[in-house]
Amino acid sequence: MQIRSPLTWWRFADADRTRAPGAAAGPALFVWGIALWLATVGNLPLWQHINGLGGTLAQRAALIVGLGLVVAGGSAALLWLLAWPRVFRVAASVLLLVAGANSYFMWQYGVVMDPTMLANALNTDAREVRDLLTWQLPAALLAVAGLPLWALWRRAPLWGRAWPRVRRNALGVLGGLALTVVVALLSYQGLASLMRNHKELRYMANPLNTVYSVTRVAANRLPRQVKPLLPVGEDAVLGASYTHQARPPLLVLVVGETARAQNFGLNGYARDTTPALARWQATGALVNFSQVRSCGTNTLVSVPCLFSPLTRAEGGDQPPEHQNLLDVLQRAGLAVLWLDNQAGCKGVCDRVPHAFAGDHPVPGLCEGSECLDAALLDGLDQRIAALDPQRSARGVVVVMHQMGSHGPAYSLRAPAERKPFMPECRSATLSDCPREQLLNAYDNSIAYTDHFLDLTLQWLKGQADRGSFDTGLIYVSDHGESLGENGLYLHGVPYAFAPDQQTHVPMVAWFSNGLRERAGLSLDCLRQRAAEPVSHDNYFHSVLGLMDVRTRARLPALDALSPCARSAG
């Protein structure tokens, strides 16, 4: 047997890699062919969007051609970076499939793949993925990626020798970047005006938007994963109201999901989607806050930001670097419990007791891995009794994270007997549903949230009437939802240009007589101030004030309840 030296083996292997049988062309044809395909077919939603912006045909054509060449140059530069044996075809295939998937979600829901949307997608669970899968997704993948994938895998590129390949790839990258820069300069006036007036377009350039978002998410998150969270409220102690308390406080914080204020009956919506809450409001004990803004447009941003000590302007909407409200409550000596019926607490509950509704399915309320929100109340007394007794004797804070109105499967969010608005949309392809049926399905989910809050309030009132606790509830949604307005569906539009429907959220609060007295709250004052603007920024400080937790981390100026408390400030 002939024995080859290591150098001979390297040359032999290189020859195998560089002389693919039946190869028809060098990589330049593949790179530029795929780049041009991505810039045209792969960006049809972008070109359709620009074509609908108005202006003359010549103006629209100039913008599409100019931006198309920029996308082609950028895509070519990226593909040249990946143009290596055993890498190129796999990487190019991934980019084509990503372009197809992005096109589908832009066509169907109007969402764009910015960094927050990508991070949200990476934290999506199997239930949410299932709701989004329709036959249109493989059809979009086939339409956008099918032909170039067939061409790419039918014949391999002829790579050539190693050092010439390095030179060729470097020149290819420079050529792609040069095309991008030259066209951008020649079209600067039109493109600059377009991007200034329509910022969402920068996240529609496919698949460069995903490459950019992946880079941003990795750069933001990887360093934080190796650093411990900064402590918050290390000086936290319970205030004077705990010294000789007759009963401990019990506060339930309901974190709503995808509820928009526009469809909340208490906010003047034409439909009575909140009849139970209206009855509680009529008693005088429930206050509706009508002008509340969310911190983000998706759960991954809004839930951590809601519990963050930082305001949105201070970076509360960024991946957390600090501990949160639950850490401070627990540090002060209170018992804290998180109950989840969603895709997790996004790290907020990692250091406190927590459980999922689906862990012990409730007959009639749970089907498979999905539960109606009322399952959060099942066995709640026993869950509280199982908490640290010394902490529970001081006070308890329970957080319930709803499934709420999570889409697109709105029809699954309420049982058949609690659907006052019919017929309803039952398709995940929301654009296929008549407008009225889509609103029916969404409004039924809001009506079920009203029912769930009613059940929770009845339970809390029972606890107060028995003298077990001084009870209260604060409900606020994490973000809103688009239901076809301006061609948008679902949520997750970058906050800078998110529509009102995705950031204006409902919020209500109810306090028993005992909790109002110990906190010194005036209901008349709260009702008078209920129409003033508040936001998720106020949540951390308001809860600490209500629970009489003394710490320098609480800023009285951000406590929305403080002006109506006996010890204001």
Side-chain angles (χ1 to χ4, degrees):
M1 183 177 81
Q2 183 180 4
I3 298 177
R4 295 184 175 93
S5 69
L7 181 59
T8 305
W9 272 114
W10 181 88
R11 288 175 178 170
F12 179 73
D14 187 63
D16 285 346
R17 291 196 303 268
T18 59
R19 298 186 183 277
L29 180 63
F30 289 86
V31 166
W32 284 103
I34 293 173
L36 291 172
W37 181 274
L38 288 171
T40 52
V41 177
N43 276 278
L44 285 177
L46 174 59
W47 311 138
Q48 290 172 350
H49 192 89
I50 293 176
N51 190 52
L53 295 179
T56 66
L57 177 61
Q59 288 172 331
R60 298 197 304 271
L63 289 172
I64 290 172
V65 171
L67 188 54
L69 290 173
V70 169
V71 172
S75 299
L78 175 62
L79 288 165
W80 277 117
L81 286 173
L82 302 169
W84 306 98
R86 302 183 183 179
V87 173
F88 178 75
R89 289 204 286 185
V90 173
S93 298
V94 170
L95 291 176
L96 287 165
L97 291 171
V98 165
N102 284 350
S103 295
Y104 165 76
F105 287 109
M106 285 189 275
W107 272 324
Q108 292 297 330
Y109 305 115
V111 300
V112 294
M113 190 54 70
D114 71 312
T116 56
M117 178 59 74
L118 175 67
N120 202 45
L122 293 174
N123 283 268
T124 297
D125 67 5
R127 295 177 301 176
E128 296 178 15
V129 172
R130 181 191 61 215
D131 291 342
L132 292 169
L133 294 181
T134 68
W135 67 266
Q136 287 96 333
L137 176 57
L141 293 177
L142 182 63
V144 174
L147 183 59
L149 282 175
W150 173 81
L152 182 63
W153 288 95
R154 181 170 175 265
R155 291 186 182 275
L158 180 63
W159 292 108
R161 293 290 179 177
W163 287 113
R165 187 191 313 148
V166 172
R167 182 176 64 250
R168 179 191 60 216
N169 286 12
L171 291 175
V173 171
L174 292 175
L177 294 176
L179 174 63
T180 300
V181 172
V182 170
V183 173
L185 291 175
L186 292 175
S187 308
Y188 177 77
Q189 185 172 354
L191 292 180
S193 176
L194 180 70
M195 293 302 172
R196 279 197 301 268
N197 295 323
H198 304 279
K199 295 179 181 179
E200 71 276 9
L201 296 180
R202 68 186 67 182
Y203 297 114
M204 294 182 69
N206 205 2
L208 299 177
N209 54 353
T210 301
V211 175
Y212 167 76
S213 297
V214 168
T215 305
R216 278 285 305 274
V217 169
N220 286 338
R221 294 188 176 275
L222 290 178
R224 290 175 170 86
Q225 291 179 357
V226 299
K227 292 195 306 182
L229 294 175
L230 298 174
V232 172
E234 292 183 293
D235 60 337
V237 295
L238 298 178
S241 64
Y242 292 86
T243 305
H244 301 293
Q245 65 180 6
R247 293 170 301 278
L250 168 59
L251 178 65
V252 172
L253 303 175
V254 179
V255 179
E257 172 64 41
T258 319
R260 63 186 203 172
Q262 178 178 323
N263 290 57
F264 223 63
L266 293 184
N267 290 327
Y269 186 44
R271 288 176 159 179
D272 190 9
T273 55
T274 55
L277 290 178
R279 291 193 295 271
W280 284 97
Q281 186 181 42
T283 67
L286 184 138
V287 179
N288 176 55
F289 297 87
S290 60
Q291 299 298 322
V292 182
R293 292 289 162 182
S294 67
C295 183
T297 62
N298 63 72
T299 303
L300 183 64
V301 170
S302 282
V303 169
C305 188
L306 181 64
F307 290 85
S308 172
L310 304 180
T311 65
R312 187 176 188 280
E314 294 170 335
D317 61 338
Q318 299 302 308
E321 294 183 346
H322 296 78
Q323 294 177 350
N324 60 65
L325 172 63
L326 304 189
D327 296 295
V328 180
L329 294 170
Q330 186 166 254
R331 181 171 290 122
L334 299 175
V336 180
L337 174 64
W338 180 289
L339 299 176
D340 208 291
N341 194 30
Q342 246 288 332
C345 66
K346 313 307 178 188
V348 174
C349 66
D350 287 354
R351 294 165 299 281
V352 303
H354 54 273
F356 287 84
D359 289 346
H360 302 285
V362 182
L365 294 177
C366 298
E367 183 176 342
S369 61
E370 187 162 319
C371 296
L372 295 169
D373 285 326
L376 292 169
L377 293 167
D378 185 72
L380 185 53
D381 292 281
Q382 291 82 1
R383 290 186 187 275
I384 292 176
L387 296 173
D388 183 327
Q390 290 186 325
R391 290 179 175 275
S392 298
R394 301 184 192 105
V396 180
V397 176
V398 177
V399 185
M400 297 182 179
H401 186 198
Q402 281 186 276
M403 177 61 77
S405 301
H406 196 284
Y410 307 121
S411 63
L412 300 180
R413 307 300 170 234
E417 66 274 15
R418 293 211 164 266
K419 293 188 176 186
F421 310 108
M422 296 296 285
E424 65 175 358
C425 171
R426 301 185 65 84
S427 171
T429 307
L430 302 181
S431 58
D432 289 348
C433 291
R435 171 72 175 170
E436 183 177 351
Q437 292 185 20
L438 176 58
L439 285 175
N440 286 346
Y442 183 81
D443 288 345
N444 285 335
S445 72
I446 297 293
Y448 188 73
T449 287
D450 175 70
H451 171 66
F452 166 67
L453 292 176
D454 181 36
L455 294 177
T456 307
L457 288 170
Q458 291 179 38
W459 179 80
L460 285 169
K461 186 175 185 302
Q463 296 285 337
D465 290 346
R466 289 193 297 271
S468 303
F469 293 96
D470 292 329
T471 59
L473 175 144
I474 298 176
Y475 161 84
V476 64
S477 186
D478 62 347
H479 55 76
E481 186 87 326
S482 288
L483 297 174
E485 298 88 1
N486 300 314
L488 295 176
Y489 294 89
L490 303 180
H491 51 267
V493 171
Y495 200 92
F497 41 89
D500 185 75
Q501 290 85 359
Q502 295 191 25
T503 61
H504 185 194
V505 295
M507 176 175 168
V508 299
W510 175 89
F511 309 116
S512 68
N513 291 333
L515 188 60
R516 288 202 309 273
E517 289 173 4
R518 68 182 291 149
L521 283 174
S522 164
L523 274 178
D524 289 338
C525 174
L526 287 176
R527 285 192 290 267
Q528 290 170 6
R529 299 176 63 91
E532 296 181 3
V534 294
S535 74
H536 283 178
D537 289 349
N538 302 105
Y539 195 77
F540 175 93
H541 309 277
S542 301
V543 172
L544 288 180
L546 177 64
M547 295 302 290
D548 193 17
V549 173
R550 305 299 175 89
T551 171
R552 289 189 299 273
R554 173 183 170 266
L555 302 179
L558 289 176
D559 183 344
L561 304 178
S562 179
C564 295
R566 192 166 46 239
S567 55

